[in-house]
Amino acid sequence: MGRRAAAVHTSGTTRGLLRISQPSFALPTVLAAADPDPLKAALEAVFQAVSTCGEHYPELLEEIRAVCADRVEE
């Protein structure tokens, strides 16, 4: 998989867009997943991952739903 970059609004205008490295932006997701409280870790990791995915977040949430549905059926 190639490196992805996303645009982030810094000033509310298109002139204020910055390019960010998604792998670098994903670090808070990894840190959140390490929380000792499993529910808090899961929720915070999903929130951070959604933020990292930017406009592609619906694809991430669909993948999470599919994995959770598979677990329920087991």
Side-chain angles (χ1 to χ4, degrees):
M1 181 178 350
R3 294 188 69 161
R4 298 173 113 183
V8 175
H9 289 278
T10 58
S11 66
T13 67
T14 55
R15 294 182 75 196
L17 290 177
L18 294 175
R19 304 281 295 166
I20 61 162
S21 166
Q22 280 187 311
S24 299
F25 201 63
L27 183 59
T29 304
V30 175
L31 298 175
D35 193 287
D37 178 347
L39 179 58
K40 182 178 176 188
L43 293 174
E44 185 66 23
V46 169
F47 174 79
Q48 293 295 338
V50 165
S51 298
T52 300
C53 286
E55 65 188 29
H56 302 288
Y57 77 91
E59 298 163 23
L60 171 68
L61 293 177
E62 184 57 39
E63 190 173 333
I64 291 170
R65 284 185 198 103
V67 168
C68 291
D70 289 345
R71 298 260 179 186
V72 170
E73 292 173 3
E74 292 178 358

